[in-house]
């Protein structure tokens, strides 16, 4: 039907042809991360095909995001007009919500063909059964999924992480997670830099980490030792050497910090540095952020869906991702399985339609040309230190103003004096997505509204979100059973209208 390389190639081509130069990294000096949502649907003539033929599909990028930054807690605004988290994965998901809002508008107004068909209850819609969505990221998500063991090897970076080992050690090559992909410096196996790297990865603010390109296509096996509370050091005492005789000497360091209330990392040298399976928050530069790691957010979306609370008012069931594809980078199938699925696998008593998804996890062998390691490989030694690109680009498959280029949470070029004006809002900020939601609502006659919006008079963003009762029940169950330490913004940050 589709391969990981086909998804990666499609996203890289879309990035090159549909995204503007504005917001992209400065050549030989900056790098960025890329994420996207790809719609997969069978071609129209499938019914006539022989049943023994492979299913032919069309693939379309419906949202895309680039970015590596977060704002600190002190810069958050109660007006909902700033992007708190501009990591590529989050920009791609918010851009996807914008696409879903547009598709719901098409469905509700019967103007054009939509991805939605009527549900069984008044005012509710559901995804066409022949469609599915694949999430692509050029790098492993920051946080728990990037905690990967390093093996002691002579003249090359560590070999692809083997099954038993990736379930516990932790590292994400992340530097300052505000610049999250300082988190991941990858060296090509041909690079002379790779051969120098040994047992001294720098602190989370540093840049150098030796990496492996593990491309494991088969699904994860159940590891012999599976406690997420074991450190890599404790695991080593149980299992000894890694398969193949290589010793686990360290873990990729993630800049994402454990949230208050979690056990915390040991901070010991080497492989014992991190604990795995914990909720983490993206770090800022001196100003702590309230943004949970991308690993945590993807795990949440895998239970609650990508649509969020607002859109759940119009949907009979959540919009789930069928697969997550990662580009060429340090990768562990087991770490991805643990971070995105395993931590929530025992969550139960969810409302009808919600559930922990067995999302398909794959890695492509294609490298993103503006990733840190690709830029590093091309850069001449005298060109100075690489830095993460400060801008973020959002793109949605919508007819009007599909692009959204931001820096520091506002449209690029916004001055301090301009903050607070309508033109100083990102199109995927909370307040603008809420405005799009209200526009959708106003285009539908009140007698066709879903029941959840007819019960009471709703005014603020917070009230509309809380009124999505099935979503809130599912979120409450997930927090109680798996993510109790999740950092939630105070209600006064959601009182805008």
């Amino acid at each position: 039907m589709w391969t990981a390389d086909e998804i990666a190639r499609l996203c890289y081509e879309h990035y090159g042809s549909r995204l503007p130069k504005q917001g992209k990294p400065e050549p030989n000096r900056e790098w960025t991360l890329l994420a996207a949502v790809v719609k997969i649907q069978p071609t129209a003539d499938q019914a006539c095909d022989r049943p023994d033929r492979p299913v032919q599909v069309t693939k379309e990028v419906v949202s895309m995001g680039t970015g590596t930054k977060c704002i600190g807690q002190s810069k958050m605004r109660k007006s909902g007009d700033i992007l708190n988290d501009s990591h590529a994965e989050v920009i791609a998901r918010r851009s996807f919500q914008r696409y879903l809002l547009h598709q719901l508008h098409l469905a509700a107004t019967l103007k054009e063909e939509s991805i939605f068909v009527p549900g069984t209850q008044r005012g509710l819609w559901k995804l066409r059964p022949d469609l599915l969505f694949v999430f692509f990221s050029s790098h492993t998500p920051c946080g728990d999924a990037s905690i990967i063991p390093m093996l002691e090897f002579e003249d090359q970076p560590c070999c692809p992480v083997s099954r038993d080992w990736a379930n516990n050690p932790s590292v994400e090559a992340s530097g300052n997670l505000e610049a999250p992909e300082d988190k991941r410096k990858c060296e090509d196996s041909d690079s002379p830099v790779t051969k120098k790297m040994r047992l001294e990865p720098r602190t989370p603010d540093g840049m150098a980490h030796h990496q492996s390109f593990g491309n494991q296509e088969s699904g994860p096996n159940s590891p012999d030792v599976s406690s997420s509370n074991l450190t890599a050091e404790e695991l080593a005492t149980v299992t000894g050497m890694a398969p193949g005789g290589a010793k686990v000497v360290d873990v990729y360091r993630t800049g994402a910090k454990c949230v208050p209330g979690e056990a915390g990392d040991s901070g010991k040298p080497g492989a014992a540095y991190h604990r795995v399976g914990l909720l983490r928050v993206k770090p800022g530069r001196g100003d702590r952020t309230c943004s949970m790691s991308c690993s945590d957010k993807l795990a949440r979306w895998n239970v609650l869906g990508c649509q969020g609370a607002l859109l759940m008012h119009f949907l009979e069931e959540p919009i789930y991702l069928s697969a997550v594809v990662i580009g060429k980078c340090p990768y562990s199938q087991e770490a991805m399985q643990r971070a995105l699925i395993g931590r929530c696998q025992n969550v139960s008593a969810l409302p009808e339609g919600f559930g922990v998804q067995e999302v398909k996890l794959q890695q492509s062998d294609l490298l993103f040309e503006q990733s840190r390691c690709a830029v590093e490989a091309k850069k001449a030694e005298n060109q100075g230190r690489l830095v993460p690109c400060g801008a973020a680009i959002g793109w949605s498959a919508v007819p009007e103003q599909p692009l959204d280029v931001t820096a520091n949470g506002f449209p690029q070029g916004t001055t301090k004096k301009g903050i607070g004006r309508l033109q100083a809002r990102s199109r995927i900020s909370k307040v603008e997505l809420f405005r799009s939601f209200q526009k959708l609502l106003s285009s539908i006659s009140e007698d066709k509204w879903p029941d959840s919006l007819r019960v009471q008079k709703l005014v603020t963003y917070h009230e509309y979100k809380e009124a999505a009762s099935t979503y809130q029940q599912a979120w409450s169950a997930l927090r109680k059973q798996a993510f109790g330490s999740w950092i939630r913004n105070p209600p006064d940050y959601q009182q805008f209208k």
Side-chain angles (χ1 to χ4, degrees):
M1 198 159 86
W2 55 266
T3 67
D5 282 356
E6 286 172 351
I7 297 294
R9 188 177 293 110
L10 178 70
C11 293
Y12 297 159
E13 288 172 355
H14 190 96
Y15 173 85
S17 63
R18 303 294 292 274
L19 267 57
K21 187 177 179 182
Q22 181 193 9
K24 287 182 176 177
E26 187 181 318
N28 299 316
R29 199 183 81 83
E30 294 181 328
W31 51 270
T32 195
L33 298 178
L34 176 70
V37 177
V38 177
K39 182 182 74 172
I40 308 282
Q41 67 182 114
T43 52
D45 60 349
Q46 286 298 295
C48 305
D49 283 351
R50 298 196 315 270
D52 57 332
R53 284 184 59 181
V55 178
Q56 300 297 307
V57 298
T58 58
K59 301 179 288 292
E60 177 192 357
V61 175
V62 294
S63 78
M64 181 165 278
T66 72
T68 67
K69 303 278 186 179
C70 285
I71 64 164
Q73 189 172 0
S74 67
K75 292 194 171 62
M76 290 171 61
R77 290 169 57 84
K78 295 180 181 179
S79 49
D81 59 356
I82 189 169
L83 293 175
N84 297 334
D85 186 343
S86 294
H87 281 212
E89 296 96 323
V90 176
I91 298 291
R93 185 257 186 163
R94 298 188 74 82
S95 299
F96 181 52
Q97 289 175 316
R98 191 176 175 217
Y99 165 77
L100 293 176
L101 276 162
H102 173 66
Q103 290 293 321
L104 279 168
H105 182 76
L106 293 181
T109 56
L110 305 173
K111 286 183 178 176
E112 295 176 41
E113 188 179 359
S114 167
I115 63 171
F116 293 109
V117 294
T120 56
Q121 299 174 56
R122 178 178 56 186
L124 297 187
W125 302 84
K126 60 184 180 181
L127 192 65
R128 278 172 41 188
D130 59 336
L131 299 183
L132 57 88
F133 294 105
V134 174
F135 192 86
F136 175 77
S137 176
S138 61
H139 208 287
T140 47
C142 63
D144 198 53
S146 290
I147 294 175
I148 303 170
M150 297 181 188
L151 306 184
E152 186 177 49
F153 242 59
E154 279 309 303
D155 270 346
Q156 58 191 67
C158 52
C159 58
V161 178
S162 74
R163 301 202 182 289
D164 290 344
W165 279 105
N167 200 50
N168 279 274
S170 83
V171 166
E172 153 212 25
S174 152
N176 177 319
L177 241 167
E178 195 186 344
E181 282 324 72
D182 274 339
K183 28 178 190 187
R184 316 116 192 221
K185 174 176 179 184
C186 55
E187 258 65 44
D188 197 88
S189 56
D190 298 327
S191 165
V193 180
T194 302
K195 302 187 178 181
K196 294 184 202 168
M197 308 191 115
R198 236 349 120 253
L199 312 183
E200 298 176 350
R202 299 179 195 167
T203 63
D205 288 333
M207 300 289 188
H209 299 272
H210 64 275
Q211 319 269 56
S212 69
F213 295 124
N215 189 351
Q216 302 173 349
E217 295 179 354
S218 56
N221 292 341
S222 297
D224 296 332
V225 180
S226 59
S227 168
S228 65
N229 291 321
L230 286 180
T231 61
E233 184 179 66
E234 289 162 342
L235 183 62
T237 66
V238 177
T239 57
M241 304 289 278
K247 182 182 176 185
V248 173
V249 294
D250 212 322
V251 286
Y252 287 105
R253 303 286 165 84
T254 174
K257 312 298 183 187
C258 298
V259 300
E262 291 282 12
D265 291 321
S266 74
K268 295 175 184 175
Y273 187 86
H274 282 304
R275 288 182 180 273
V276 297
L278 303 181
L279 289 173
R280 293 176 181 272
V281 68
K282 294 165 182 170
R285 290 187 172 163
D287 184 10
R288 190 182 184 95
T289 81
C290 290
S291 299
M292 302 300 293
S293 76
C294 289
S295 291
D296 299 335
K297 290 186 175 184
L298 277 159
R300 175 180 170 173
W301 304 339
N302 197 47
V303 179
L304 303 183
C306 287
Q307 75 293 322
L310 283 184
L311 284 180
M312 205 63 220
H313 282 293
F314 288 104
L315 297 174
E316 202 157 79
E317 50 198 31
I319 306 294
Y320 288 115
L321 300 169
S322 294
V324 174
V325 174
I326 304 296
K328 188 175 183 180
C329 66
Y331 179 86
S332 159
Q333 187 78 12
E334 293 76 12
M336 286 284 291
Q337 173 81 17
R338 175 193 70 225
L340 273 55
I341 304 168
R343 294 186 292 171
C344 303
Q345 64 188 1
N346 295 322
V347 173
S348 60
L350 292 165
E352 186 178 355
F354 289 86
V356 182
Q357 306 298 298
E358 279 297 326
V359 62
K360 190 176 182 181
L361 305 173
Q362 291 193 356
Q363 187 184 25
S364 166
D365 200 39
L366 302 180
L367 185 66
F368 178 43
E369 65 176 9
Q370 294 196 309
S371 66
R372 179 165 185 168
C373 58
V375 177
E376 180 76 39
K378 293 177 189 171
K379 182 179 74 74
E381 284 194 19
N382 61 355
Q383 285 182 314
R385 177 174 171 268
L386 286 182
V387 295
C389 181
I393 308 174
W395 181 92
S396 301
V398 296
E400 294 180 18
Q401 300 179 311
L403 278 165
D404 188 67
V405 183
T406 56
N408 301 310
F410 293 111
Q412 196 172 47
T414 300
T415 62
K416 283 187 178 179
K417 200 176 281 187
I419 291 173
R421 296 176 184 170
L422 285 178
Q423 61 266 38
R425 294 175 176 179
S426 162
R427 296 185 182 100
I428 54 173
S429 62
K430 287 187 182 76
V431 70
E432 282 298 297
L433 288 178
F434 184 39
R435 197 167 70 100
S436 297
F437 170 84
Q438 291 171 313
K439 190 177 175 183
L440 168 63
L441 198 55
S442 66
S443 70
I444 303 169
S445 61
E446 206 165 319
D447 62 313
K448 293 181 180 177
W449 284 7
D451 290 345
S452 62
L453 293 173
R454 297 159 60 89
V455 177
Q456 56 184 312
K457 176 75 172 169
L458 304 171
V459 178
T460 67
Y461 177 74
H462 179 72
E463 287 171 357
Y464 273 98
K465 285 186 69 170
E466 289 300 308
S469 56
T470 56
Y471 182 91
Q472 295 301 343
Q473 288 164 23
W475 180 209
S476 178
L478 178 58
R479 289 198 312 274
K480 284 177 183 173
Q481 297 176 57
F483 287 162
S485 300
W486 192 283
I487 294 176
R488 303 178 72 196
N489 294 333
D492 57 341
Y493 281 87
Q494 300 184 354
Q495 297 303 326
F496 51 88
K497 301 174 184 179

